[in-house]
Amino acid sequence: MFLFNDFSRKRKMSWEEVYKKNLIEKIKRDKHPFKLLEELETLARRHYSDIPEEEFIRLYWLGVVHDRPRTGYLMLRLRIPGGILKPHQLRRIGELSYKYGKNYAEITVRQDIQLHWIELKYLPEVLAQLKDVGILTIGTEGDTVRNITTCPLAGLTVNELFDVRDDVYKIDKAFLLDPIYADLPRKFKITITACPYMCSVPEIQDLALIGVTKDGKYGYTVLIGGGLSLAPRVGRHMPVFVPREMVIEFVKAVLDVWREEPRYRLSRVRARIKFMIDDLGVDKFRELVENRLGQRLEDYPSKPESLGKTDHIGVERLKDGTYAVGVAIPAGIVTGEFLIKLADLAEAVGVKEVRLTQRQNLILAGVPEDKVEIVKEFCQKWGYAVEQTPLVAMSVACTGDPYCNYSISDTKGLLLELIKSLKERFGEIQDLPPIHIVGCPHACAWYWIGNIGLMATTAKMPDGRFVKAYDVLVGGDYGKRTAIGKVLFKKVPADKIKDCITYLVEYYINKRAPGEDFPTFIARIDLRELADYISGKLGVQLALGK
């Protein structure tokens, strides 16, 4: 790891070195990915096998990625700032899923939706139909400012400090189509929230703007350099106060300090802002940002803390007297047909917005009191319950196999199996811990901070065979008790993982103190005893984590 205690004394990295060692940077230099917007019709008329790989890489910037296997089908990720959709927009997404995407869609942890099975020849038509209802896909992949997230009920809840929606939209608009900020070292994830529960998980964002007040004025203090993947980091507090009217200027300064330093473009692995914060420290980085701004920011030494946790699932009264009805969507999987019918229902009961959550769920916002039961009955009919345990409502899984080119596991299928088996074994116990499952080290479903985290890998068996397996982490958390999970086991064979998790939960249920939740339990116990218990039940000695 680079450790630059005095950044200014280190040798300057040349851009030619970057282009020589980083293929993606060379591809961007040779032709900016946004150029494909002008060439899309021509590109779509070609056979996918005739298109150079460099062009498929550039398509990432348009939110388009080859599904696995690479036989011409594409994944399309939509850009939905704050996860806020009007019913007619939701209906259009459902229609496109039904017509072009084999009636399949998935809600992501960044409050957006992904469509699969889109054929290249239909791509311009699909993008045009989305644009017609105000939805774009640009910047949901590639080295860009990704979809801006916030509290799923921003602007509506009785206990938020102030409504951040205008700032969400301003930030999104400021960077969406600017080619300069679509040429970052790598992706950049922002959340902005004034929810006291901080449900948008600011701890793991590249940049989190957290609503505060100072001297009676609304603004933000900052967490910087969070992120997961192979090198998990919890965001560090930059103790500044950013007035709301300065928020765009501040974000630009942060991005400029990072993007203009070639050193963080040399390696894709280290091309995240968290490594720059590691090297410089927060104080030095703040100094560089203030130099860009041309002024010193006011201090805000207190780091805000979450009041607790909420998944916004269930029925919640809003400040205008209407209700939010949060619907748990296991693994985030929905059909286009369901989205169409949900949009119809929303309009029929007078709902003006449907919100997407970071736990891959959705919320009907603004339901009149006398229509709440109608909404609940509708969701129940489609197999989605409004009242759910955290196991169902807060567990998440990445895209996984068979769609993702990185994943080696059907993560969503496994999550659904685990939810089903744990509910059958333990019933509707409220304290069953949520599970986060990822199919590769990219950590798209945050396995590092899951109460139980699973990462797909492979294991070599005694007879020399390689089989699918999972690393098992425990005790991760976010909010008031943010923690990176501890590796309990390495490479648990896939055929053992369901029983492994069952015995893990069984040990917790049997050994916990009254009222003790899972993260507190894990922090208290001897993990070796837990591991021995699970191995004994399985009759197999599992490899312990380090």
Side-chain angles (χ1 to χ4, degrees), residues 131-148:
K131 186 176 181 181
D132 184 56
V133 294
I135 297 175
L136 300 176
T137 63
I138 294 170
T140 56
E141 269 283 355
D143 300 341
T144 63
V145 175
R146 297 293 180 86
N147 196 50
I148 314 297

Side-chain angles (χ1 to χ4, degrees), residues 524-541:
R524 175 177 63 81
I525 67 168
D526 183 340
L527 289 185
R528 171 73 68 163
E529 291 183 9
L530 170 60
D532 288 345
Y533 176 83
I534 296 170
S535 292
K537 283 283 193 174
L538 290 172
V540 176
Q541 188 59 51

